[in-house]
Amino acid sequence: MKLKVAIIVDKLKIKKWQLDSLDAIKDEIEIKSILNCTNTIHKKKFFQNFLYYILNFFNLRNYMTRNYPVPNYGINIVNFKSSYSKNWQTIPTDVIKDLKKQKIKLIIKFGMNLLNIDDELDKIDIFSFHHGDPSQYKGRPAGFYEIFHDKKKTGVIVQKLSNRLDSGDIYAFGEVRNINYSYRKTAINFYSLSPFLLLKSINNLKNGIKLNIGNSGKTFSLPSNYIVILFVKKIILNLVKKIFYGLFYEKKWKVAFMNNNILLEEENLILKSSIQEIPIKKKYNFYADPFFSTDGKKVRLEALNYKTGLGEILEVDVSNLKEQKVILSGKHYSYPYSFNYNDKELLLPEVASHSEPFLLSLKNPKNFTTYIKGFQNSKIVDATLFKKDDYWYLFFGFSNNSENLLNLYISKNLDETFNPHPNSPICLSPTMSRMAGKIININSSIYRFGQNNEGEYGRGIFIQKIKEISPLSYSEISCGSIFIEQYQGPHCLNFSPDKSRIILDYYEDGFSLLAGYRRIIAKIRNKMK
């Protein structure tokens, strides 16, 4: 049964991220009323916050915040003027009475300033977004102080409004990676997350689920001109560092074996002395994304070709590490996940730079076996299959948001269409959304590995324990982590079939006069193919 809702807007305008959010929940709600406030005023202190308004114009005003006319939903639009008490607005009593007659259960607030919840309005749930983690940052502007304070992430919540600022019950929470050299890109990140959160909040409201997120963070207001100058200086400095790194530095990934002494529900620090590196051939810049073959006799990994700047899939003999052969090349390949199916070993490589996902037979890897149904014209990252109780579950990220969001799709058979799981997306955080290897079952417990991308890419792995996975439900909890001494990483880790050994990758930054050249060449080659 669909939830009857009303939408609050200002002057019949709505932003793109808000439209996307409504589209995400269209199957869960029935919009019965548009409440159009005609006298919302956003008071501005132009002299005190002049530089912030300029910053806002070029950053928070982006394609996600562009205003559009409210769509014609074929329903009555209720125009009203609110009363004011300082910055707090109040909805007229007659409007609230009309909502009750329509049996409205939820109001989604996209307009107005701070909303006073009087006795009449208290009987209806009101959802509002706050782009910030209220356990650390309350108030505004969204994402600004997180970057200014060198935080790695910005939180986003959907909350039930109360008469205390950013202190209502929370029904959905997510977080995105801060781009420390671009306020605009950071803003697009957290606005893009909003539709997924609104869908989760609606489902959690229906099921009576509230999230235990603290709201004791400091309340911030618009920054002074002096703070904005310091902010812009920080952004420019970070951008210069980013450009310099891109021109002259590369991540020198390596792959190594170690005996399995990982404690999956603990914090693990791998010692440098405990690993055995695979030698890298001279034609390659690095090795990464290692996976054992299903019989454990081979390792397959991504090898970045010096000349082309493209990843090739290399197969390494475990008993003789110098015996290495190319099994996929010509375009960019990585993350060579493999599994057994109908007595054959199949490969599911990442091909997001040039193709929708497909499966390869390892007996003849140069010819694709079949495209995965349900992903026509889609580019997905680090796809990882897991079979349980006769269902196939596919964990992956779409290429445009894989660092912040993990999707879960499901199918009864591999040759049938994969469809979104009811709980997808299952993770909305840069600390663990991108997959970091196969899902494993040990001692009747199931574990998922997620890359830590909250700062720089591939800084370690967080371990998630899957509490429930079925066609109708999914839940997991954080239980451990894996880092490596003196290096950054790992960002991909896998176990041998008998669980006695581990293969992993890690990196250190290396100087190269050709780093920028190789990056440019790789992009050109991928676009040409």
Side-chain angles (χ1 to χ4, degrees), residues 114-125:
L114 300 175
L115 181 59
N116 178 48
I117 313 296
D118 58 20
D119 290 340
E120 289 293 328
L121 198 55
D122 190 48
K123 304 298 188 296
I124 303 175
D125 293 328

Side-chain angles (χ1 to χ4, degrees), residues 20-142:
D20 291 346
S21 297
L22 291 178
D23 186 63
I25 62 172
K26 63 185 177 183
D27 294 332
E28 306 295 329
I29 65 167
E30 179 184 2
I31 300 176
K32 302 289 291 183
S33 184
I34 300 293
L35 307 182
N36 180 45
C37 185
T38 60
N39 68 332
T40 296
I41 300 173
H42 300 285
K43 296 181 180 179
K44 296 182 178 180
K45 299 177 181 178
F46 283 102
F47 180 77
Q48 181 178 333
N49 305 118
F50 175 72
L51 292 182
Y52 167 72
Y53 294 126
I54 294 177
L55 184 73
N56 178 307
F57 182 82
F58 289 103
N59 291 275
L60 292 186
R61 292 191 181 184
N62 52 65
Y63 76 93
M64 293 299 296
T65 59
R66 187 174 297 134
N67 279 321
Y68 292 85
V70 172
N72 181 6
Y73 291 107
I75 57 177
N76 289 330
I77 295 174
V78 180
N79 298 304
F80 69 93
K81 288 186 176 181
S82 69
S83 58
Y84 272 88
S85 176
K86 295 184 178 180
N87 289 328
W88 292 82
Q89 293 178 264
T90 301
I91 297 176
T93 302
D94 60 327
V95 174
I96 299 173
K97 288 182 178 178
D98 186 56
L99 293 177
K100 290 182 177 179
K101 287 181 182 178
Q102 297 180 69
K103 297 182 179 180
I104 298 296
K105 297 297 182 182
L106 175 69
I107 297 173
I108 300 175
K109 178 180 173 292
F110 286 144
M112 305 181 71
N113 290 304
L114 300 175
L115 181 59
N116 178 48
I117 313 296
D118 58 20
D119 290 340
E120 289 293 328
L121 198 55
D122 190 48
K123 304 298 188 296
I124 303 175
D125 293 328
I126 304 172
F127 273 2
S128 177
F129 281 89
H130 171 62
H131 293 92
D133 180 349
S135 67
Q136 301 180 60
Y137 291 90
K138 299 165 70 173
R140 59 183 182 146

Side-chain angles (χ1 to χ4, degrees), residues 293-312:
S293 60
T294 55
D295 62 9
K297 296 179 180 180
K298 308 286 185 182
V299 165
R300 303 187 187 97
L301 50 83
E302 175 196 353
L304 190 74
N305 190 298
Y306 261 117
K307 292 182 179 180
T308 66
L310 300 176
E312 301 176 353

Side-chain angles (χ1 to χ4, degrees), residues 255-258 276 278 287-302 312-321 323-327 336 338 345 347 362 492 494-497 501-505:
V255 168
F257 295 95
M258 62 173 285
Q276 176 194 5
I278 293 179
Y287 287 176
D289 285 352
F291 285 79
F292 280 102
S293 60
T294 55
D295 62 9
K297 296 179 180 180
K298 308 286 185 182
V299 165
R300 303 187 187 97
L301 50 83
E302 175 196 353
E312 301 176 353
I313 300 303
L314 214 61
E315 187 174 77
V316 181
D317 192 302
V318 171
S319 61
N320 181 5
L321 300 182
E323 188 175 318
Q324 306 176 7
K325 70 174 183 179
V326 177
I327 59 174
S338 68
E345 187 175 12
L347 194 70
L362 279 161
C492 186
N494 285 287
F495 292 75
S496 61
R501 301 183 79 192
I502 288 173
I503 189 82
L504 52 82
D505 59 7

Side-chain angles (χ1 to χ4, degrees), residues 257-258 270-276 484-487:
F257 295 95
M258 62 173 285
I270 296 171
L271 300 180
K272 182 180 178 182
S273 59
S274 68
I275 60 177
Q276 176 194 5
I484 186 164
E485 180 188 44
Q486 298 183 26
Y487 293 109

Side-chain angles (χ1 to χ4, degrees), residues 356-373:
E356 60 198 66
F358 52 76
L359 297 170
L360 297 172
S361 169
L362 279 161
K363 290 184 178 179
N364 189 10
K366 292 186 178 180
N367 297 319
F368 77 86
T369 302
T370 182
Y371 286 106
I372 299 179
K373 294 180 181 178

Side-chain angles (χ1 to χ4, degrees), residues 158-217:
V158 177
Q159 61 181 331
K160 177 182 173 182
L161 284 186
S162 69
N163 285 324
R164 294 178 58 212
L165 182 63
D166 297 329
S167 297
D169 293 332
I170 297 173
Y171 284 84
F173 173 79
E175 50 194 5
V176 297
R177 177 188 169 213
N178 288 336
I179 311 300
N180 68 358
Y181 59 87
S182 176
Y183 188 24
R184 180 183 179 84
K185 288 183 178 180
T186 300
I188 290 172
N189 273 351
F190 56 68
Y191 286 127
S192 299
L193 198 68
S194 303
F196 305 103
L197 288 171
L198 188 56
L199 177 59
K200 285 193 173 293
S201 68
I202 295 293
N203 289 330
N204 284 340
L205 178 66
K206 289 180 177 180
N207 294 316
I209 299 173
K210 302 174 186 178
L211 305 186
N212 185 22
I213 307 291
N215 56 17
S216 58

Side-chain angles (χ1 to χ4, degrees), residues 320-342:
N320 181 5
L321 300 182
K322 293 183 179 181
E323 188 175 318
Q324 306 176 7
K325 70 174 183 179
V326 177
I327 59 174
L328 279 175
S329 64
K331 298 179 181 180
H332 185 75
Y333 299 93
S334 61
Y335 202 80
Y337 173 90
S338 68
F339 63 103
N340 284 332
Y341 182 69
N342 291 339

